[in-house]
Amino acid sequence: MRRIALRPLSLVVILFLMAAIVGAQAPVPTNEDQEIAKTVVDLLEHGHMARPVIDDEIAVKWCDNFLKDLDPQKYYFLKGDVEEFKKGAKNLDDQVREGRIDFASTVFERFLQRQDERYKTVVALLGKPLDFTIDEYLTDDPEKVDYAVDKTEADERWRKKLKFEELQLRLDDSTTPEDVIKKLTIRYRDRNRLFHQFDSDELLEVYLSSLTRTFDPHSSYLSAKNLEDMLNQQLH
């Protein structure tokens, strides 16, 4: 198990920037999104060289991939969230054939809720000095840890995470304590806003790419907008 040492370092931290948190609300799939999902499944099964059969086994892997894509380091979802979502995983193949992709919105709405909760924790932790007088360790391999059982455990992980990130920023001698707090606050404020700005196209792209990777790590679904952007970049 790889562990990151959190070495003692005395410093005074000041919260420089606060940001409001918007309510958690996932984008609602459109009729077009539903038709796209059905078409992608049909194309995968009949047009992909791997000739995958999207069944219950694939559906379970699809669910796992989607959860990992949203929360790869297991800092946001709680263990109960994941257990709840996995109960219905075997139904995803049947649902998508009917154009039903509400599972993606349900999971993402919970993710936004946890995002907001963790962001509040970040703001609170950065608003007071962290204790750098003791040695602590942070496990950074998500395969070696489970999801946090409750908010208390999640907050403790974030305390160590922020402590480590503050120490990393402190390696730059020109960075003041105020600069460190400002950078971290802006980092997590912008990350929270980014997810709240997700539209249905972006969510569908993540969701369907989680499916394609169950049988081919090099296959992914690109939304029309991102495909156009990629082609424009290639042309220029």
Side-chain angles (χ1 to χ4, degrees), residues 118-135:
R118 305 299 166 260
Y119 180 64
K120 288 180 180 178
T121 295
V122 168
V123 170
L125 288 171
L126 293 178
K128 55 186 178 182
L130 295 175
D131 185 1
F132 289 91
T133 64
I134 57 175
D135 285 335

Side-chain angles (χ1 to χ4, degrees), residues 34-46:
Q34 295 171 348
E35 290 303 317
I36 288 174
K38 290 194 293 185
T39 300
V40 167
V41 169
D42 185 66
L43 288 173
L44 287 172
E45 291 189 322
H46 299 97

Side-chain angles (χ1 to χ4, degrees), residues 186-203:
I186 292 175
R187 175 186 299 176
Y188 287 105
R189 179 204 64 188
D190 290 350
R191 186 171 300 176
N192 184 266
R193 286 180 176 176
L194 174 66
F195 283 110
H196 277 286
Q197 291 169 355
F198 255 46
D199 59 27
S200 63
D201 282 348
E202 291 170 312
L203 181 56

Side-chain angles (χ1 to χ4, degrees), residues 14-234:
I14 302 173
L15 182 61
F16 179 84
L17 185 62
M18 299 283 286
I21 302 173
V22 287
Q25 185 174 1
V28 178
T30 65
N31 291 335
E32 183 180 5
D33 293 335
Q34 295 171 348
E35 290 303 317
I36 288 174
K38 290 194 293 185
T39 300
V40 167
V41 169
D42 185 66
L43 288 173
L44 287 172
E45 291 189 322
H46 299 97
H48 194 281
M49 60 185 302
R51 295 290 179 178
V53 176
I54 299 174
D55 53 15
D56 290 357
E57 182 179 356
I58 288 292
V60 170
K61 294 179 181 178
W62 181 9
C63 177
D64 288 342
N65 282 349
F66 186 50
L67 294 173
K68 288 179 181 178
D69 286 344
L70 292 177
D71 187 12
Q73 298 296 317
K74 299 180 180 177
Y75 276 112
Y76 294 96
F77 286 126
L78 297 179
K79 187 173 183 178
D81 297 330
V82 175
E83 291 174 347
E84 175 187 341
F85 298 141
K86 287 188 175 183
K87 286 180 180 178
K90 289 185 178 180
N91 298 322
L92 297 186
D93 56 321
D94 299 322
Q95 292 175 7
V96 75
R97 293 183 197 283
E98 300 171 0
R100 294 167 52 201
I101 51 177
D102 46 293
F103 180 80
S105 294
T106 298
V107 172
F108 192 67
E109 186 163 335
R110 184 73 57 82
F111 176 69
L112 290 179
Q113 177 187 340
R114 300 306 182 207
Q115 270 274 342
D116 290 348
E117 291 171 356
R118 305 299 166 260
Y119 180 64
K120 288 180 180 178
T121 295
V122 168
V123 170
L125 288 171
L126 293 178
K128 55 186 178 182
L130 295 175
D131 185 1
F132 289 91
T133 64
I134 57 175
D135 285 335
E136 294 185 291
Y137 295 90
L138 175 68
T139 301
D140 69 337
D141 183 354
E143 299 301 322
K144 302 296 184 181
V145 296
D146 201 352
Y147 293 91
V149 174
D150 53 27
K151 182 179 182 298
T152 299
E153 184 178 348
D155 287 353
E156 176 63 9
R157 290 187 186 182
W158 274 95
R159 184 188 65 80
K160 290 183 177 181
K161 176 179 170 63
L162 289 173
K163 184 175 179 180
F164 175 66
E165 291 179 352
E166 283 193 33
L167 289 174
Q168 284 184 310
L169 292 174
R170 280 288 177 178
L171 294 176
D172 183 356
D173 293 335
S174 65
T175 303
T176 66
E178 292 80 8
D179 289 337
V180 169
I181 298 305
K182 180 179 179 180
K183 287 180 180 180
L184 288 175
T185 306
I186 292 175
R187 175 186 299 176
Y188 287 105
R189 179 204 64 188
D190 290 350
R191 186 171 300 176
N192 184 266
R193 286 180 176 176
L194 174 66
F195 283 110
H196 277 286
Q197 291 169 355
F198 255 46
D199 59 27
S200 63
D201 282 348
E202 291 170 312
L203 181 56
L204 184 65
E205 182 172 311
V206 175
Y207 191 49
L208 292 181
S209 292
S210 299
L211 168 61
T212 61
R213 291 201 326 279
T214 61
F215 53 85
D216 182 358
H218 304 295
S219 291
S220 61
Y221 165 76
L222 277 181
S223 66
K225 178 181 181 300
N226 284 338
L227 176 60
E228 182 180 356
D229 290 343
M230 183 183 71
L231 292 175
N232 287 334
Q233 289 177 2
Q234 292 178 346

